[in-house]
C-alpha cells in the first residue's frame, strides 16, 4: 500500500476514506482535518480560550497535541478520580498527563476529587448506592460538574473533550435502540453555551478510534494503554464491537451512520423535541445549572455522602 500523497510506503490505511498515507502525511492530515471540522461545526475561533479535558488516554492527549500544533490557546484539565484499586489507573494517567504537558510547556490544571470532596469516585459511588455494579453514573456526574465549574470559573470560552467517532457512534447506537429522543436531541459535535453551561465541543468526533491510536503512536505520545478497570464489560464496549463487525464488512458504515444522523437533525428530525427542553436555573449552593427545584444532583450526592458518613 502506497501513500496517496508521495507514493512512499503507507503507514496508515483508512479504508473508510479509501485513503492510505505515510507517517509524515498522516501526521499532517490529522490536524488539517481537525481544523476543517472545527470550522464546519462552528466549534471555536482562533482567539478563544480552550480548556481540554485530558484523561491521560490516547484521544484526549492527541486532541491537546493537535490543538497545540494548530496554534490554539489550549490548556488542560486533569480530574483525579482516585481509581487505583486493581491497577494504579489514576496515578499513572496523572503522571503521563503531567509529563505530556511539561514536555510541551503547556498549562495543566489538576483537580483531585478526594482532596476536594473527601472521597474517591469508587467510595462516593458506594456511599450513594448510585454505583450499582460500576461507579460510572457518579463518575459521569462528578466529571460533568467539575469540567463545567472549572471552565466557567477560570474564564474559558469552550470545553473540549476527546470523544472519537467510535465513542459517538456507540452512544448513538444505544440511544437509537431505545429511541431516547431527549438524548438524541442533545448529541452533537457542539453543545452551545446556555444558562451557565459552558460550550462543549468534540473536535475528534469524525476520526475512527484506530486512527487516533495510530496518531498517538506515530507522534510518540506516551499514554495510558489500560482502560479504566470499570469500563470492562460495559455496554458501550459491546456496541463498539458490534459496530466494528459492521464496519469490517462495509467500510464507512460508522461514518455514514453518524453523519447522516447529523444531517437528519439539521433538517429538523427532532425540531419538536428541541422545543421541549426544560428551563435551567442556578443551583442555590454551587450555582451550576439544574433543571429540578432545589439543589443540583451533584450537591445532593455530596450531601448524601456527608450524611452517610456521619
Ligand atoms: Fe469513570 Fe471509569 Fe466509569 Fe469511565 S469507566 S465513567 S472513568 S468509572
Ligand atoms: Zn506520504
Ligand atoms: Zn449544586
Amino acid at each position: 500500500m502506497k501513500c496517496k500523497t508521495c507514493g512512499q510506503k503507507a503507514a496508515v490505511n483508512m479504508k473508510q476514506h479509501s485513503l492510505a498515507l505515510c507517517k509524515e502525511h498522516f501526521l499532517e492530515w490529522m490536524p488539517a482535518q481537525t481544523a476543517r471540522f472545527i470550522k464546519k461545526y462552528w466549534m471555536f475561533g482562533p482567539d478563544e480560550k480552550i480548556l481540554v479535558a485530558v484523561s491521560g488516554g490516547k484521544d484526549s492527549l492527541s486532541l491537546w497535541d493537535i490543538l497545540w500544533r494548530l496554534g490554539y490557546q489550549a490548556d488542560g484539565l486533569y480530574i483525579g478520580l482516585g481509581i487505583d484499586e486493581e491497577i494504579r489507573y489514576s496515578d499513572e494517567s496523572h503522571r503521563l498527563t503531567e509529563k505530556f504537558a511539561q514536555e510541551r510547556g503547556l498549562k495543566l490544571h489538576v483537580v483531585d476529587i478526594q482532596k476536594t470532596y473527601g472521597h474517591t469516585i469508587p467510595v462516593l459511588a458506594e456511599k450513594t448506592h448510585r454505583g450499582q455494579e460500576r461507579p460510572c453514573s457518579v463518575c459521569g456526574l462528578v466529571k460533568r460538574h467539575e469540567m463545567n465549574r472549572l471552565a466557567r470559573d477560570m474564564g474559558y470560552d469552550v470545553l473540549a473533550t476527546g470523544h472519537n467517532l467510535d465513542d459517538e457512534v456507540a452512544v448513538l447506537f444505544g440511544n437509537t435502540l431505545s429511541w431516547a429522543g431527549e438524548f438524541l436531541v442533545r448529541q452533537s459535535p457542539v453543545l452551545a453555551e446556555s444558562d451557565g453551561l459552558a460550550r462543549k465541543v468534540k473536535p475528534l468526533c469524525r476520526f475512527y478510534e484506530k486512527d487516533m491510536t495510530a496518531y498517538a503512536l506515530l507522534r510518540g505520545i506516551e499514554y495510558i494503554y489500560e482502560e479504566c478497570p470499570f469500563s470492562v464489560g460495559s455496554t458501550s464496549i459491546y456496541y463498539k464491537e458490534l459496530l466494528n463487525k459492521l464496519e469490517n464488512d462495509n467500510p464507512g458504515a460508522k461514518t455514514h451512520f453518524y453523519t447522516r444522523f447529523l444531517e437528519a437533525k439539521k433538517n429538523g428530525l427532532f425540531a419538536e423535541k428541541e422545543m421541549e427542553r426544560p428551563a435551567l436555573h442556578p443551583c442555590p449552593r454551587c450555582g451550576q445549572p439544574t433543571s429540578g427545584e432545589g439543589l443540583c444532583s451533584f450537591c445532593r450526592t455530596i450531601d448524601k455522602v456527608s450524611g452517610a458518613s456521619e
Side-chain angles (χ1 to χ4, degrees), residues 3-9 20-26:
C3 171
K4 196 171 182 176
T5 308
C6 69
Q8 302 285 313
K9 191 171 176 285
L21 293 170
C22 69
K23 175 179 171 180
E24 183 195 337
H25 289 118
F26 176 70

Side-chain angles (χ1 to χ4, degrees), residues 73-307:
Q73 304 174 58
D75 298 340
L77 167 64
Y78 176 83
I79 303 178
L81 305 169
I83 299 176
D84 286 309
E85 287 156 24
E86 292 163 44
I87 56 162
R88 310 291 303 161
Y89 174 75
S90 290
D91 276 355
E92 184 59 4
S93 56
H94 183 196
R95 183 184 73 77
L96 292 170
T97 306
E98 290 278 6
K99 185 169 181 274
F100 176 96
Q102 264 172 23
E103 283 169 358
R104 289 161 181 78
L106 292 169
K107 186 167 174 184
L108 175 68
H109 304 280
V110 177
V111 179
D112 186 298
I113 295 302
Q114 183 168 26
K115 281 187 196 145
T116 313
Y117 298 105
H119 303 283
T120 62
I121 290 291
V123 173
L124 278 177
E126 199 187 298
K127 285 183 181 279
T128 53
H129 308 292
R130 276 187 69 140
Q132 315 287 326
E133 276 175 57
R134 310 166 197 277
C136 298
S137 97
V138 159
C139 184
L141 173 72
V142 171
K143 284 193 287 196
R144 282 193 301 276
H145 183 276
E146 291 300 279
M147 288 192 294
N148 197 61
R149 177 175 75 83
L150 288 142
R152 195 189 55 177
D153 290 359
M154 296 190 299
Y156 287 92
D157 298 300
V158 57
L159 179 69
T161 55
H163 295 92
N164 60 41
L165 186 121
D166 292 50
D167 298 323
E168 290 301 293
V169 168
V171 170
L172 176 60
F173 187 62
N175 287 338
T176 307
L177 284 181
S178 53
W179 289 114
E182 69 279 23
F183 293 115
L184 287 167
V185 81
R186 283 179 53 79
Q187 186 172 2
S188 167
V190 183
L191 277 179
E193 185 175 346
S194 68
D195 303 324
L197 283 174
R199 186 186 337 149
K200 287 194 195 125
V201 298
K202 299 170 184 168
L204 306 181
C205 67
R206 296 283 303 271
F207 296 117
Y208 282 23
E209 183 152 348
K210 71 174 181 53
D211 299 329
M212 291 317 306
T213 307
Y215 181 85
L217 293 174
L218 293 174
R219 279 283 291 164
I221 295 173
E222 236 189 297
Y223 64 90
I224 183 154
Y225 292 116
E226 287 87 8
E227 298 286 341
C228 170
F230 295 109
S231 71
V232 178
S234 67
T235 315
S236 71
I237 291 185
Y238 174 61
Y239 289 161
K240 282 183 181 178
E241 287 166 1
L242 286 179
L243 288 155
N244 280 338
K245 281 189 191 152
L246 185 69
E247 178 77 24
N248 256 342
D249 296 334
N250 188 1
K254 290 190 291 194
T255 295
H256 291 152
F257 184 39
Y258 186 59
T259 54
R260 286 180 187 164
F261 160 72
L262 295 181
E263 274 165 32
K265 250 173 55 139
K266 204 170 154 193
N267 294 332
L269 179 65
F270 297 112
E272 263 177 47
K273 264 267 170 271
E274 273 169 37
M275 308 288 287
E276 289 171 15
R277 284 169 71 171
L280 300 176
H281 32 262
C283 164
R285 183 179 304 157
C286 70
Q288 296 239 29
T290 171
S291 55
E293 291 293 317
L295 295 180
C296 72
S297 45
F298 175 83
C299 289
R300 278 188 277 122
T301 300
I302 298 297
D303 274 3
K304 204 167 168 188
V305 174
S306 319

